[in-house]
Structures are given as C-alpha cells and as structure tokens.
C-alpha cells in the first residue's frame, strides 16, 4: 500500500500518518523530519536545507526530490509507504509520478485533510514535540491532546517547540505555499486528484480536519 498524505501544516497529518503506519505496517516517510534529522546530525544536506526551513521556504527541488526518491528505494519501503510532506509543488508531483512509473510502482491512495487556514495556524502554534517520539501528539490548544503539565501526555517525556512553529511569518509563508492551488502544495495534490479521475486504481480521499484526532482517524479508517 503506497499512500500520499496532504494537509496544511497543523492539520494532524503526522498523527494520522502514524495510525496508517501501524494499520498497514508500512513506513511513514516525512520529508520535514528527514530534514530535521539531517540538521540535528550536522550533515551537508542539513546545512544546505536549514536556511530555507528557518524562513518557511521550500528546500529547492534539486535537493529534496533525490532525497525522497532515494528514501523510497530503501528496503524498509518495499512493503509500502506513506509520504507526508512530499510532494509539495507540481514539479515534485510530476517527478514522483514519473519515477514511480519507471520503477513499476504505483500510488494506491491519496488523502487530503481539509482544514481552514486560521485553525491550522492556531494548531501549529500550540503544537509541542516530545523528545522521545515526534509522533506523540501534544497540543496546548486541543483538549484531547493537551500535555500533562509541561510533559508529554503519552510518555511523560520532555516537550519542546519547533523554531519554525513559533514564527508567525514563517507559518504564513508555509501556508501560502500549501494553499496555493496553482503552483503550491494544493496544486500538487490536484495533480493526483486529476490522475485519479482517469486511473481508477488510484483513490483520492478527503477528510474533515476540523474534528478531533479520534474522529479524523475514524473517518480515515472508514474511507480506506
Ligand atoms: P514540515 O515538517 O512538513 O512542516 O516541513 C518543514 C520544512 O521542511 C518545510 O517548511 C520546508 O522548508 C522543508 N520541506 C519539507 N518537505 C519539503 C518538500 N517536499 N519540498 C521542499 N521543502 C520541504
């Protein structure tokens, strides 16, 4: 099962992706997390990507596309994958589609979480990251996943914020890119929505992102 996951930053993609990962025993590949790991590890890739990420800009395609295509070739991706955060523009969609077709692989499901920009912004600012597991959901503005005190609600781990999550200008830029249905991430999602109209083996599903984590998860599972 190969899945593409779209949704604005703050829509709960990471959380729902983790549910899918367990359900299908496939790898959850988050482009943003790969960049953050590289930055933490001080790699060349991390050094190149950091300046773009801190400003809320996209990392250039000539860095991002090969990084993801290489990741998809690893052994743990053979049983299937969820791509989260990639593709983010129509060029990335095209390149991904072409690379998969050339490798005899295909996309089974494309999921889009629908969420209003203002709500998404508030969710990002309230998001807290667990030091032990980036997929432990914690958000100071969402009752269902409020941290316990200042610690992770799942494991009690230390919590932190992402630098680009507290910078309103950077959030605005990331959302400008996401909601751009002509050249941005929505355009890249619609590339696959169009594909699904002619290729019936590809399913394009939408989810109402305004609901709580559990409800969105239930809608997701019922639609798969
Ligand atoms: P995310 O964790 O998905 O919010 O990604 C964090 C940052 O990583 C983004 O704001 C971009 O700077 C960079 N990034 C992640 N995915 C991509 C992508 N597909 N193309 C370009 N830049 C990306």
């Amino acid at each position: 099962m190969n899945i593409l996951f779209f949704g604005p930053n703050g829509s709960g993609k990471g959380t729902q992706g983790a549910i899918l990962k367990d359900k299908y025993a496939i790898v959850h590949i988050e482009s943003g997390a790969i960049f953050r790991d590289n930055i933490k590890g001080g790699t060349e890739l991390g050094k190149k990507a950091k300046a773009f990420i801190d400003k809320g800009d996209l990392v250039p395609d000539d860095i991002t596309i090969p990084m993801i295509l290489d990741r998809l070739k690893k052994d743990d991706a053979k049983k299937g994958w969820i791509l989260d955060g990639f593709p983010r523009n129509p060029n990335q969609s095209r390149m991904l589609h072409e690379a998969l077709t050339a490798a005899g692989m295909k996309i089974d499901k494309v999921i889009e979480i629908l969420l209003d920009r203002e709500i998404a912004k508030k969710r990002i600012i309230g998001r807290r990251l667990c030091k032990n597991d980036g997929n432990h959901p914690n958000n100071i503005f969402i009752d269902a996943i409020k941290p316990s005190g200042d610690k992770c609600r799942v494991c009690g781990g230390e919590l932190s914020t992402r630098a680009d999550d507290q910078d309103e200008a950077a959030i605005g830029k990331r959302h400008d890119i996401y909601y751009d249905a002509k050249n941005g991430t929505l355009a890249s999602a619609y590339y696959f929505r169009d594909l699904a109209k002619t290729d019936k083996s590809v399913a394009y599903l939408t989810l109402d992102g305004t609901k709580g984590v559990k409800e969105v998860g239930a809608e997701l599972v019922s639609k798969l």
Side-chain angles (χ1 to χ4, degrees), residues 9 31-32 35-36 53 57-59 64 85-86 88 92 162:
N9 308 97
S31 50
F35 283 129
R36 281 188 290 280
I53 293 176
D57 288 328
L58 288 188
V59 178
T64 308
F86 184 97
R88 242 163 158 119
Q92 293 184 0
R162 266 169 55 179

Side-chain angles (χ1 to χ4, degrees), residues 69-78:
L69 296 182
D70 284 348
R71 178 66 188 86
L72 292 177
K73 286 183 198 144
K74 292 211 168 138
D75 275 352
D76 65 349
K78 297 248 175 333

Side-chain angles (χ1 to χ4, degrees), residues 173-193:
K173 230 189 236 176
R174 276 148 74 197
H175 280 160
D176 283 346
I177 296 168
Y178 183 82
Y179 290 99
D180 179 351
K182 224 169 148 212
N183 301 304
T185 309
L186 277 184
S188 108
Y190 296 162
Y191 174 97
F192 291 100
R193 192 175 66 177

Side-chain angles (χ1 to χ4, degrees), residues 110-154:
V110 183
I111 301 163
E112 181 194 350
I113 302 189
L114 306 169
L115 190 66
D116 173 82
R117 185 170 172 151
E118 271 312 301
I119 303 176
K121 179 176 161 188
K122 206 169 155 204
R123 294 228 185 129
I124 293 178
I125 296 173
R127 177 152 82 181
R128 297 294 177 267
L129 288 187
C130 172
K131 291 250 159 65
N132 299 330
D133 185 334
N135 280 321
H136 284 169
N138 288 277
N139 194 303
I140 59 169
F141 294 136
I142 303 174
D143 282 341
I145 54 168
K146 265 212 174 105
S148 12
D150 59 355
K151 298 282 190 298
C152 173
R153 49 180 280 283
V154 180

Side-chain angles (χ1 to χ4, degrees), residues 35 45 48 52 59-67 89 91-92 95:
F35 283 129
L45 178 80
K48 282 189 203 154
F52 298 99
V59 178
D61 283 356
D62 60 344
I63 299 175
T64 308
I65 294 174
M67 175 184 91
N89 62 35
N91 184 47
Q92 293 184 0
M95 299 296 280

